[in-house]
Amino acid sequence: MDNDHLPNLDTALVGLPPLETLGSQLTLTHKPRILLLYGSNRERSFSRLMIEEAARLLQHFGAETRVFDPAGLPLPDDAPDSHPKVQELRDLMQWSEGQVWCSPERHGSMSAVFKAQIDWVPLAIGAVRPTQGKTLAVMQVCGGSQSFNVVNQLRVLGRWMRMFTIPNQSSVPKAFLEFDADGRMKPSSFYDRLVDVMEELVKFTLLLRERQDYLVDRYSERKESAQALSKRVNQHAL
């Protein structure tokens, strides 16, 4: 992936605001860590091409990116949790601060390849919630006319995984017309929307950094923790 070659990006018009405007409490100890997932194993997968274009933009905005290749990932519950692809996916989930999800629309919904990736990630791994409090951008590619079925479903899925889904999103109709022979996205309003989405994701990720624990702190979970602690104390006393 050529990270510096962005021929369709007007760099004079794009760029994050000075970080000082985000407040003196912003921690910049590392780049925003963004995991990107796509939903097709086809050789010329348009969801993968879209994700690769998104990764180039995120790197231009100063983020560190990793793209998970779903090829070889078994169906959920069709292999042990120790399967190397499952472990790779779960490690990336915990590594990330934000994520980008892109699925093709298949029969009016997200693809099985994409859903399988999320289904391998439980709400808790040990004492760690691998997705809670992370930012999320959702996108879809369509074979025909523009649809929003998949991005709507991805928003529901993101909420279920306790993530902060940003307002902007991308849906690309007739995706086979939007990429050239080299797999690069052609200049268009759809490309400009992709820039908007990635820029917004980086902004939200920076704004929420080190604030996730406060924002997702829940009464019900505090109550459960207190009850569990009380039970352990009582058992120890016996």
Side-chain angles (χ1 to χ4, degrees), residues 1-9 53 56 60 184 191:
M1 183 187 300
D2 185 355
N3 300 331
D4 299 320
H5 184 53
L6 295 167
N8 303 326
L9 185 68
E53 203 69 54
R56 293 183 185 96
H60 179 77
R184 298 302 305 270
Y191 178 82

Side-chain angles (χ1 to χ4, degrees), residues 42-232:
R42 294 173 57 195
E43 182 177 354
R44 186 170 167 83
S45 162
F46 294 108
S47 61
R48 175 177 56 80
L49 295 180
M50 189 81 169
I51 281 294
E52 291 177 349
E53 203 69 54
R56 293 183 185 96
L57 289 166
L58 288 168
Q59 291 163 9
H60 179 77
F61 295 143
E64 180 182 358
T65 65
R66 298 186 186 177
V67 178
F68 177 73
D69 179 359
L73 182 71
L75 290 173
D77 303 323
D78 200 32
D81 293 352
S82 58
H83 189 284
K85 291 295 289 189
V86 175
Q87 287 300 308
E88 178 189 355
L89 176 61
R90 291 184 175 186
D91 288 346
L92 287 173
M93 284 280 173
Q94 296 187 66
W95 166 84
S96 66
E97 291 178 275
Q99 297 184 19
V100 182
W101 295 354
C102 183
S103 173
E105 182 171 341
R106 296 271 178 89
H107 302 298
S109 65
M110 75 182 76
S111 69
V113 171
F114 187 89
K115 185 60 162 57
Q117 295 172 75
I118 306 303
D119 285 347
W120 268 117
V121 182
L123 289 177
I125 300 177
V128 177
R129 299 190 184 278
T131 54
Q132 180 166 300
K134 300 180 189 297
T135 54
L136 172 64
V138 296
M139 308 190 299
Q140 74 173 82
V141 290
C142 311
S145 59
Q146 190 173 43
S147 162
F148 300 95
N149 291 328
V150 171
V151 287
N152 289 337
Q153 292 172 343
L154 293 178
R155 286 185 177 278
V156 172
L157 189 56
R159 183 170 70 245
W160 188 260
M161 300 305 287
R162 302 178 178 180
M163 303 176 78
F164 293 107
T165 307
I166 67 172
N168 219 333
Q169 62 187 25
S170 172
S171 174
V172 178
K174 297 183 179 180
F176 58 91
L177 297 177
E178 298 301 324
F179 292 86
D180 63 24
D182 295 324
R184 298 302 305 270
M185 196 170 185
K186 300 175 184 177
S188 69
S189 61
F190 299 117
Y191 178 82
D192 293 345
R193 172 59 66 89
L194 176 62
V195 176
D196 289 345
V197 175
M198 293 307 105
E199 188 178 61
E200 187 172 285
L201 176 64
V202 172
K203 290 177 181 178
F204 271 82
T205 303
L206 288 172
L207 284 170
L208 292 177
R209 178 173 284 179
E210 297 184 352
R211 295 171 174 84
Q212 293 95 331
D213 290 344
Y214 173 74
L215 292 170
V216 300
D217 184 34
R218 301 182 178 188
Y219 163 76
S220 60
E221 293 174 357
R222 293 195 301 272
K223 184 176 180 181
E224 289 176 3
S225 297
Q227 290 173 341
L229 177 61
S230 177
K231 183 178 180 180
R232 289 197 297 270

